[in-house]
């Protein structure tokens, strides 16, 4: 049975960047265990939506609400949103020179636990957590000693995001173009890791993608199409086939 409160609820969201309105009334409800894909042409506002949900400081909310587990998160900083269980993977992951993966995750997990009044994990517990999740994403142990994203291949960066999502045990991940720049083997293996994480239906994800390819490996419950800052169409997984066949133009309001 479905819990009545969505995990994430976005209501009439209007947002701007540099004084320009980009999102023009987005509505979206995501329940626990669901996979939602957001598709749409370049510049339709997909990344802006993910950044405003994560609380990126350059993006201003001008109208509407973002509720996470029923709580209005609009005034929370990104770190507090993350502590509540939100995980955002950027379309272009940043490199952190001089910070190794293990130290980065230790700080993140400790801060997350602190926000729940939990003591830090001891090193044995932390190491076993990391090893378990490394296995899930099929990354080697020596990966922990490398600086975050520095010199990582496209596939490793994306795998690292899924690894972070797994280690932080977030409830909702927004994965922005996780499939971009991946060869077919990397795509399959990342999809397997995501499917494994989703298997218990305890987490939810928003997959932002241009391509049907990813959705052949990860089956979404819903597909939304964004255009000009709004969701103009929502359908089930079969919508991906229609979009592949017909493109986006037929959905656009003034298309003749
Ligand atoms: P998508 O991810 O769907 O390709 P984006 O959300 O990145 O679209 O962009 C939507 C629109 O907002 C585009 O017209 C883009 O140029 C504009 N935009 C996004 N970020 C910025 C920014 N930081 N400064 C100025 N314009 C931006
Ligand atoms: Mg984008």
């Amino acid at each position: 049975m479905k819990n009545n409160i969505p995990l994430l609820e976005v209501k009439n969201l209007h947002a701007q960047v540099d004084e320009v309105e980009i999102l023009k009334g987005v509505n979206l409800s995501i329940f626990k265990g669901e996979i939602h894909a957001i598709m749409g042409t370049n510049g339709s506002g997909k990344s802006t939506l993910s950044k405003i949900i994560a609380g990126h400081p350059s993006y201003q909310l001008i109208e509407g609400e973002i509720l996470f587990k029923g709580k209005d998160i609009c005034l929370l900083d990104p770190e507090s949103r993350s502590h509540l269980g939100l995980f955002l993977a950027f379309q272009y992951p940043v490199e952190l020179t001089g910070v190794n993966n293990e130290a980065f995750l230790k700080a993140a997990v400790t801060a997350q636990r602190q926000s729940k009044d939990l003591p830090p994990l001891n090193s044995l517990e932390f190491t076993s957590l990391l090893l378990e999740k490394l296995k899930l994403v099929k990354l080697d142990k020596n990966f922990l000693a490398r600086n975050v994203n520095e010199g990582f291949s496209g596939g490793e960066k994306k795998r690292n995001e899924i690894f972070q999502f797994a280690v932080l045990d977030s409830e909702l991940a927004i994965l922005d173009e996780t499939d971009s720049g991946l060869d077919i083997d990397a795509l399959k293996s990342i999809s397997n890791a995501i499917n494994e994480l989703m298997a218990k239906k305890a987490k939810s994800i928003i997959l932002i993608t241009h391509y049907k390819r990813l959705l052949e490996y990860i089956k979404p419950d819903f597909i939304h199409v964004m255009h000009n800052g709004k969701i103009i169409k929502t359908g089930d997984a079969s919508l991906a086939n229609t979009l592949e066949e017909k493109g986006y133009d037929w959905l656009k309001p003034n298309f003749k």
Side-chain angles (χ1 to χ4, degrees):
M1 207 181 71
K2 205 174 247 188
N3 182 338
N4 277 336
I5 302 179
L7 183 61
L8 177 77
E9 193 170 13
V10 170
K11 292 189 198 168
N12 187 33
L13 190 70
H14 291 251
Q16 66 179 25
V17 54
D18 294 339
E19 317 271 302
V20 182
E21 188 173 351
I22 310 285
L23 298 182
K24 300 171 182 170
V26 176
N27 293 291
L28 188 63
S29 290
I30 297 179
F31 288 86
K32 187 172 159 176
E34 289 179 348
I35 300 177
H36 290 240
I38 300 184
M39 303 185 78
T41 46
N42 267 327
S44 53
K46 304 181 298 297
S47 292
T48 302
L49 177 63
S50 69
K51 286 178 181 162
I52 199 101
I53 293 172
H56 192 296
S58 312
Y59 296 74
Q60 291 94 39
L61 184 118
I62 43 183
E63 202 184 323
E65 283 180 290
I66 307 171
L67 305 174
F68 188 65
K69 299 191 226 174
K71 180 183 157 91
D72 186 346
I73 58 166
C74 292
L75 295 176
L76 297 182
D77 59 30
E79 198 181 359
S80 313
R81 296 182 198 206
S82 137
H83 293 163
L84 284 175
L86 197 60
F87 179 83
L88 177 81
F90 290 109
Q91 186 171 353
Y92 305 105
V94 282
E95 299 187 359
L96 299 176
T97 309
V99 182
N100 79 41
N101 251 332
E102 182 164 352
F104 174 77
L105 286 168
K106 176 83 182 168
V109 170
T110 301
Q112 186 192 45
R113 292 178 61 85
Q114 215 163 30
S115 77
K116 295 177 182 145
D117 287 327
L118 295 169
L121 293 176
N122 67 37
S123 40
L124 207 66
E125 291 165 328
F126 185 65
T127 305
S128 78
L129 172 72
L130 293 186
L131 293 180
E132 177 199 331
K133 306 302 181 188
L134 274 175
K135 226 191 288 170
L136 178 84
V137 288
K138 299 197 169 55
L139 281 167
D140 192 84
K141 240 177 19 196
N142 67 27
F143 188 75
L144 295 172
R146 290 175 61 185
N147 289 342
V148 179
N149 287 324
E150 207 176 51
F152 286 17
S153 70
E156 284 173 335
K157 281 184 186 171
K158 300 295 173 175
R159 226 175 278 238
N160 193 39
E161 287 173 346
I162 308 305
F163 178 53
Q164 290 171 353
F165 173 38
V167 170
L168 289 170
D169 199 22
S170 312
E171 284 159 85
L172 173 70
I174 306 180
L175 305 175
D176 196 353
E177 304 214 7
T178 285
D179 47 346
S180 70
L182 296 186
D183 61 42
I184 196 77
D185 290 334
L187 184 74
K188 275 189 199 165
S189 111
I190 283 171
S191 301
N192 285 341
I194 292 175
N195 286 330
E196 208 168 309
L197 271 177
M198 294 296 294
K200 290 192 194 127
K201 296 267 175 205
K203 299 180 185 300
S204 310
I205 43 174
I206 300 177
L207 290 175
I208 297 178
T209 182
H210 268 306
Y211 301 106
K212 186 175 154 257
R213 214 172 60 145
L214 178 71
L215 305 180
E216 284 165 3
Y217 298 105
I218 304 173
K219 201 166 165 53
D221 298 290
F222 300 96
I223 296 182
H224 310 278
V225 178
M226 272 194 92
H227 172 66
N228 196 17
K230 279 185 180 167
I231 290 174
I232 55 164
K233 173 93 181 162
T234 292
D236 61 17
S238 69
L239 182 58
N241 300 323
T242 316
L243 293 171
E244 174 126 308
E245 239 172 74
K246 301 183 19 183
Y248 293 107
D249 281 349
W250 63 287
L251 292 170
K252 294 179 186 168
N254 300 315
F255 183 70
K256 299 205 175 48

